[in-house]
Amino acid sequence: MLLIDYLNEQGLSQRGFAAECGLSAAAISRIVNGNRFPCLETMRIIMVKTKGRVTANDFLQQSISERD
């Protein structure tokens, strides 16, 4: 699941989710918009906070889709 889809489904703002994760709102925005590929630690944090709904594989799929 894409992070933006998870946030929308849960009714969470990017800023609020970033705060829950201990990340900056700018970092989450860049990840959601495909301007930044998250590092492994960031992916782990997001996977934990989303209870496995958003995984490292989802970021890879998003990155591949944006290049096509």
Side-chain angles (χ1 to χ4, degrees):
M1 167 180 276
L2 295 177
L3 180 55
I4 188 65
D5 294 334
Y6 175 82
L7 297 175
N8 289 334
E9 181 182 274
Q10 299 298 313
L12 297 170
S13 69
Q14 290 181 24
R15 183 177 303 279
F17 183 73
E20 286 182 27
C21 293
L23 302 168
S24 71
I28 293 297
S29 177
R30 286 191 291 264
I31 291 168
V32 164
N33 292 319
N35 297 323
R36 175 180 173 193
F37 192 83
C39 69
L40 291 176
E41 179 61 14
T42 299
M43 282 189 270
R44 185 193 69 75
I45 290 168
I46 291 171
M47 190 174 81
V48 168
K49 291 295 182 181
T50 63
K51 298 183 174 104
R53 304 272 317 277
V54 179
T55 66
N57 192 50
D58 296 320
F59 292 111
L60 179 59
Q61 290 297 326
Q62 180 182 1
S63 176
I64 290 169
S65 295
E66 290 171 355
R67 292 181 183 187
D68 289 342

